Amino acid sequence: MESTIACTAYDCGFAVPKFAAGFAAAANGTGAEAHNDACRCTVQGRGGEGFLVNAYPNTNLYDPNTVIPAVRYDVPVGTSVFTTTVESWYK
């Protein structure tokens, strides 16, 4: 990535419904995870910080209340390389 300004970037996974059976979400270290009994999304970054995006209500087509696991990166001026792995499954 090439940036002419210092900024923040979020590399996100997939939205997970909050008010579903078995819901849990956590961000720690360089990753974040959200899951319920029907789906799971895990995001792991190298050099970033795990973060949970609490989406505004009704911004998802399938569920009115979701959380999105993400990795937050501080982007300096110049060239940077960021690596993020996103894994998910749905039943």
Side-chain angles (χ1 to χ4, degrees):
M1 163 184 246
E2 184 76 29
S3 180
T4 59
I5 60 168
C7 59
T8 302
Y10 294 85
D11 208 354
C12 299
F14 300 96
V16 175
K18 284 196 248 185
F19 300 109
F23 175 76
N28 51 19
T30 59
E33 177 182 311
H35 68 271
N36 60 39
D37 289 348
C39 64
R40 172 182 306 270
C41 183
T42 303
V43 179
Q44 187 66 44
R46 188 178 303 158
E49 176 186 2
F51 188 82
L52 292 170
V53 177
N54 285 297
Y56 285 112
N58 300 315
T59 56
N60 184 282
L61 294 174
Y62 298 106
D63 197 274
N65 292 291
T66 61
V67 65
I68 304 166
V71 177
R72 178 186 175 273
Y73 294 102
D74 292 322
V75 180
V77 173
T79 301
S80 302
V81 176
F82 301 108
T83 303
T84 306
T85 302
V86 177
E87 296 178 347
S88 66
W89 60 257
Y90 290 87
K91 286 186 179 180

